[in-house]
Amino acid sequence: MTTDYNGTLIEVQHLGKRFDKLEVLKDITVDIHKGDVVCVIGPSGSGKSTFLRCLNRLEEPTSGKIFFEGIDITDPKTDIDRHRQKMGMVFQQFNLFPHMNIMKNLTIAPVKLQGRGQKEAQDQAMKLLERVGLADRADAYPSQLSGGQKQRIAIVRALCMNPEVMLFDEPTSALDPEMVGEVLNVMRDLAREKMTMVVVTHEMGFAREVASRVMFMDEGYFLEENVPDQFFANPKNERLKNFLSKVL
């Protein structure tokens, strides 16, 4: 099944997710448009990461539909692997292959999954490494990099697939505080270049500065969403007011 696309990159309709008796996501409906930077915030255990992982079916939704570029990716007949190639994902942990050097980590998926030539994949990888300030680490192994460097490499690895959207699951939460800024700077650059991004984050300053919309999640529901200025200055929902009073 397809739906009209019209700049709506991801359309979520009545999404639900259960783990046995635990209902983690409850009737979520949201649109993400091309060029949006959507930051999802909320307390731990509110369903944020599950929501993000449902967008590319790393978690299988229990109910509802998700359309990506107008195609129902919750339909069992859909080739989800083909669509996942257009959805870059960056996790809390870096998930780099420890036995491969950085260049190999960056080029293996474009060559094997997209059938691109080795030289083309390496040229693109080197340009992206230059962009994040790590061109001199192409021959290094993950064990030789800091946490911040590994996370920048993880972002580059996702970008090497030329995705339509980048999904970030708390990409700075495993980093030492002094390394957070170097990763957020890469994400700021992507936002400036109009990369569509959905970011689950605890970094309120980043959400306020970069997001086109901020969404607050608690107990499996999206309780409030707004542009950053209004979201942080004039929250309407009592639960959001209480949350912001503790984190700002």
Side-chain angles (χ1 to χ4, degrees):
M1 182 180 172
T2 61
T3 186
D4 282 339
Y5 169 21
N6 287 338
T8 303
L9 196 62
I10 302 172
E11 184 181 344
V12 180
Q13 299 178 351
H14 306 294
L15 178 68
K17 175 65 182 175
R18 283 179 176 277
F19 294 103
D20 294 324
K21 292 183 180 173
L22 182 64
E23 196 175 11
V24 182
L25 300 178
K26 304 167 185 173
D27 195 30
I28 287 177
T29 294
V30 64
D31 289 348
I32 295 156
H33 300 95
K34 210 162 174 46
D36 273 354
V37 178
V38 177
C39 284
V40 182
I41 70 167
S44 294
S46 58
K48 306 182 302 294
S49 291
T50 302
F51 166 71
L52 198 73
R53 292 167 68 87
C54 280
L55 293 182
N56 62 1
R57 273 183 50 204
L58 285 178
E59 292 287 358
E60 287 292 343
T62 309
S63 57
K65 292 186 182 300
I66 300 169
F67 293 90
F68 177 61
E69 294 185 322
I71 293 165
D72 179 4
I73 62 170
T74 50
D75 184 333
K77 296 193 286 290
T78 300
D79 180 359
I80 188 60
D81 289 333
R82 191 164 65 84
H83 293 285
R84 274 196 194 122
Q85 290 181 30
K86 303 178 190 177
M87 304 169 98
M89 182 105 187
V90 179
F91 301 90
Q92 296 177 34
Q93 303 300 332
F94 324 114
N95 299 338
L96 300 174
F97 295 117
H99 60 291
M100 296 180 184
N101 69 16
I102 297 310
M103 182 56 75
K104 186 71 173 168
N105 263 283
L106 299 180
T107 56
I108 185 167
V111 170
K112 287 204 163 179
L113 297 178
Q114 295 181 330
R116 283 153 64 189
Q118 189 70 39
K119 182 173 187 316
E120 178 198 344
Q122 285 183 340
D123 288 349
Q124 181 192 25
M126 190 51 83
K127 278 188 189 139
L128 288 166
L129 284 174
E130 284 167 4
R131 204 166 106 182
V132 302
L134 291 173
D136 60 334
R137 309 303 278 157
D139 296 324
Y141 284 79
S143 61
Q144 299 171 300
L145 304 183
S146 70
Q149 289 173 327
K150 286 178 193 169
Q151 194 60 297
R152 281 186 279 163
I153 295 296
I155 294 171
V156 168
R157 179 180 56 187
L159 292 173
C160 281
M161 297 293 283
N162 297 321
E164 295 294 320
V165 59
M166 289 284 285
L167 309 175
F168 292 90
D169 188 6
E170 298 188 17
T172 59
S173 64
L175 299 179
D176 292 335
E178 67 266 26
M179 295 175 184
V180 169
E182 63 194 54
V183 173
L184 292 181
N185 283 339
V186 173
M187 294 168 67
R188 282 189 189 95
D189 287 344
L190 290 176
R192 276 194 284 270
E193 291 165 14
K194 301 294 186 221
M195 169 62 78
T196 310
M197 296 158 63
V198 185
V199 185
V200 171
T201 185
H202 293 293
E203 302 289 340
M204 299 300 145
F206 175 81
R208 179 177 269 168
E209 175 194 349
V210 173
S212 50
R213 281 186 292 157
V214 187
M215 307 174 79
F216 175 67
M217 193 170 207
D218 192 31
E219 296 186 349
Y221 292 103
F222 278 129
L223 297 180
E224 186 163 340
E225 73 166 279
N226 213 328
V227 296
D229 287 351
Q230 290 298 312
F231 183 92
F232 288 105
N234 298 304
K236 309 283 189 294
N237 181 275
E238 286 302 320
R239 180 70 186 89
L240 174 56
K241 288 179 186 175
N242 181 265
F243 177 78
L244 291 177
S245 74
K246 292 190 170 87
V247 298
L248 292 181

